[in-house]
Amino acid sequence: MSQKKLITIFGATGAQGGGLARAILSDKNSEFSVRAVTRDPSSDKAKALAAMGAEVVEADLAHPEKVKKAMEGAWGAFCVTFFWAHFSPEQEAAEAKCMADAAKAAGVRHVIWSTLEDTRLHVPLHDDRMPTLMEKYKVPHFDAKGESNRFFKEEGIPTTFLLTSFYWDNMIYFGLGPKRGADGVLAITFPMGDSPLSGIGSGDIGKCAYGIFKKGESLIGKTIGIAGEHITCAEMAKSMTKALGEEVRYNSISPETFRSFGFPGAEDLGNMFQYYQEFAKEFADARDIKMAKELNPELQDFDSWLADNAKKIPLS
Ligand SMILES: NC(=O)c1ccc[n+]([C@@H]2O[C@H](COP(=O)([O-])OP(=O)(O)OC[C@H]3O[C@@H](n4cnc5c(N)ncnc54)[C@H](OP(=O)(O)O)[C@@H]3O)[C@@H](O)[C@H]2O)c1
């Protein structure tokens, strides 16, 4: 029987959990083993993790009994929720509570909860600089995560609160890459003014989480914020121009304009960028690149991320 400490990883076929699963599985001397949670063990991504040595188990966060079973016998757990699968902050909070309850029942020794700021602590609902969304939120997909910290705290679960950053991969998979304007020139469009955007290659999140599990008890109860670089959108455009070998401009727009784009989640993201912009210093101060690099010596800045990924960015 394996003497390794078992880590249950939610979202193991996704960006954050996948990065952690691969980091552990590709380290032959790791003190940890992986239980990868997925709704579909027959998917190619799940099979690839099994081939690397993961135990793959089926569970949906909507089914608490399955989530409890997925935690049984685990030493650690990586907990992440899936806002963009349903766009419901209440469901996201229920997912977080479901994992916290299961971690408590299983006596898990170290949980990493992938969270974000509750923006209402800086922008209360009565503050009309940005619209209140869904009656109770400013940035629903942030606020629900920040609010859910309490499930882990109140249940006394030994937790490290991991504050993540804007994935640069959003330019590949989330439609936020450069678009060609009427003049034929590529431009990235963000409501960020001249403020820096704290970003990270999504694969680095899991590698940092691995560093947190390795550091162990000293990080329990702490909030650890990570980023690969705090970089303005003008600087991002300059780096992309170099990496793509073609001019990329930065098209700076207002948060109001972004909110009016009309795609699902545009208002949430418009408020998010406004929050990033107006609280850029607080946001960056909460995300320590030096600490992230200590946890994950392979941490990439934007240029090194582009060197690996620029070709994957769809250009239209
Ligand atoms: N994009 C960004 O810039 C950014 C930045 C910070 C934080 N985030 C947050 O990151 C979270 C998403 O994490 P990610 O990017 O790692 O995910 P992802 O790459 O989109 O992958 C989604 C993962 O969720 C799993 N999943 C979805 N619904 C599930 C359910 N009901 N039960 C169990 N598993 C479920 C999927 O597993 P199966 O399909 O295999 O079941 C898959 O592993 C979101 O809440 C988002 O707000 C995003």
Side-chain angles (χ1 to χ4, degrees), residues 9 12 16-26 34 36 49 52 54 206:
I9 303 179
Q16 297 192 29
L20 172 60
R22 283 188 297 277
I24 297 174
L25 295 167
S26 53
V34 169
L49 291 173
M52 287 180 81

Side-chain angles (χ1 to χ4, degrees), residues 11-17 38-40 59-62 80-85 92 95 116 141 145 164-167 170:
T13 57
Q16 297 192 29
T38 173
R39 291 163 300 172
D40 180 9
D60 188 312
L61 286 180
V80 56
T81 44
F82 310 109
F83 181 84
W84 302 109
E92 186 162 37
E95 291 171 351
L116 286 167
H141 78 285
K145 290 182 181 68
T164 58
S165 299
F166 178 81
Y167 304 175
N170 289 333

Side-chain angles (χ1 to χ4, degrees), residues 12-90:
T13 57
Q16 297 192 29
L20 172 60
R22 283 188 297 277
I24 297 174
L25 295 167
S26 53
D27 177 358
K28 291 297 158 224
N29 297 316
S30 182
E31 66 195 287
F32 301 109
S33 59
V34 169
R35 180 180 285 160
V37 181
T38 173
R39 291 163 300 172
D40 180 9
S42 70
S43 73
D44 288 346
K45 285 183 177 172
K47 283 191 199 150
L49 291 173
M52 287 180 81
E55 173 194 358
V56 174
V57 301
E58 185 260 321
D60 188 312
L61 286 180
H63 301 134
E65 288 314 312
K66 292 220 166 152
V67 173
K68 273 203 176 125
K69 214 161 172 342
M71 290 274 200
E72 273 171 18
W75 178 91
F78 180 79
C79 298
V80 56
T81 44
F82 310 109
F83 181 84
W84 302 109
H86 46 66
F87 293 83
S88 162
E90 284 79 19

Side-chain angles (χ1 to χ4, degrees), residues 221-237:
K222 302 250 160 59
T223 297
I224 304 290
I226 54 170
E229 194 169 358
H230 309 299
I231 181 174
T232 67
C233 292
E235 289 164 338
M236 286 173 73

